[in-house]
Amino acid sequence: MGERQIRVMTVDDHPLMTAGITSEINSQSDMTVVAQASDGKAAIELFRTHRPDVTLMDLRMPHVGGLEAITAIRSEFSRARIVVLTTWAGDIKVLSAFKAGAVGYLLKDTLRTELIDTIRGVHMGERRIPPEIALQLAQHAADDALTPRELDVLRGLAQGSPNKLIACDLSIAEHTVKNHIKNILSKLDANDRTGAVIIAARRGYIDL
């Protein structure tokens, strides 16, 4: 029976979260936790050692974050099945996770039954996205993405920097900064700088 069990690795820097998930998984007859990592660097090393069937990956962790860890693991093990388990629901974060190679995305307030079902489904080769996240992706599917330069300007806005300072930091003209801000407000459907920062953070463009 041991050989038929789904071997799971958890990656999260919150001990209580890890303990709860591990307990739930180990209480199932068809799965077991084989490794636990508290940051992305340890996750990459433990994946090489244990080769789990399914990995549950948090995104926000010290040292090496979840997205970097997913990218690194998938580049080495193309068939790795990784499910993101996070508090971040923003569509940009979700898209980034799938581009990195994740096959599932769950929020931490998900019911434990949904987590267990997702582990089984992903192990069978399915991709899993909860309806509320799929809806959010659909709502923004036609939106124009922010360019790398617009993201640079947006980070300046998030720090409360005036246009002149943003221009100086990015070595561009102040009127260019104003044009970028105009584009940012339009793309994010925001009324002002503060609104743009709030919307960008909610969607996962920036971390506050």
Side-chain angles (χ1 to χ4, degrees):
M1 180 181 167
E3 287 178 31
R4 292 196 302 275
Q5 283 190 315
I6 303 168
R7 302 169 70 257
V8 182
M9 176 167 79
T10 65
V11 187
D12 198 302
D13 63 332
H14 293 97
L16 282 176
M17 189 76 197
T18 301
I21 291 169
T22 300
S23 171
E24 189 65 34
I25 291 170
N26 285 339
S27 71
Q28 309 299 314
S29 61
D30 61 340
M31 59 185 73
T32 183
V33 172
V34 293
Q36 297 174 336
S38 57
D39 64 56
K41 186 172 183 291
I44 297 164
E45 291 166 1
L46 285 170
F47 194 99
R48 289 186 188 124
T49 304
H50 295 277
R51 310 284 174 93
D53 299 313
V54 177
T55 298
L56 302 176
M57 181 80 70
D58 191 13
L59 291 182
R60 196 189 319 222
M61 294 179 292
H63 312 307
V64 177
L67 286 179
E68 291 173 78
I70 294 169
T71 303
I73 290 170
R74 286 277 300 193
S75 66
E76 207 173 319
F77 304 94
S78 60
R79 298 183 66 176
R81 295 187 177 114
I82 302 172
V83 176
V84 169
L85 187 59
T86 182
T87 54
W88 283 348
D91 63 298
I92 301 301
K93 277 281 183 268
V94 179
L95 286 173
S96 299
F98 280 108
K99 277 180 188 167
V103 294
Y105 200 101
L106 286 175
L107 298 178
K108 284 187 176 179
D109 58 6
T110 297
L111 291 171
R112 291 279 160 82
T113 49
E114 198 175 331
L115 173 66
I116 297 302
D117 287 345
T118 296
I119 292 171
R120 290 190 184 116
V122 164
H123 183 244
M124 297 286 288
E126 297 172 12
R127 288 167 75 86
R128 288 294 183 100
I129 310 178
E132 68 272 19
I133 288 183
L135 179 64
Q136 196 174 25
L137 288 174
Q139 284 172 339
H140 296 291
D143 293 0
D144 287 330
L146 297 183
T147 65
R149 182 52 97 197
E150 286 164 357
L151 281 173
D152 290 338
V153 171
L154 183 62
R155 289 186 193 102
L157 296 182
Q159 289 164 1
S161 303
N163 292 358
K164 198 168 189 174
L165 184 57
I166 295 172
C168 183
D169 286 344
L170 299 178
S171 303
I172 56 178
E174 195 173 341
H175 70 84
T176 307
V177 172
K178 286 179 183 172
N179 287 338
H180 283 314
I181 292 172
K182 193 172 155 189
N183 289 339
I184 290 166
L185 294 182
S186 171
K187 287 181 178 181
L188 295 179
D189 196 19
N191 297 320
D192 53 31
R193 297 159 72 108
T194 305
V197 170
I198 291 167
I199 292 167
R202 190 172 65 231
R203 290 188 55 195
Y205 270 118
I206 54 172
D207 306 333
L208 293 180

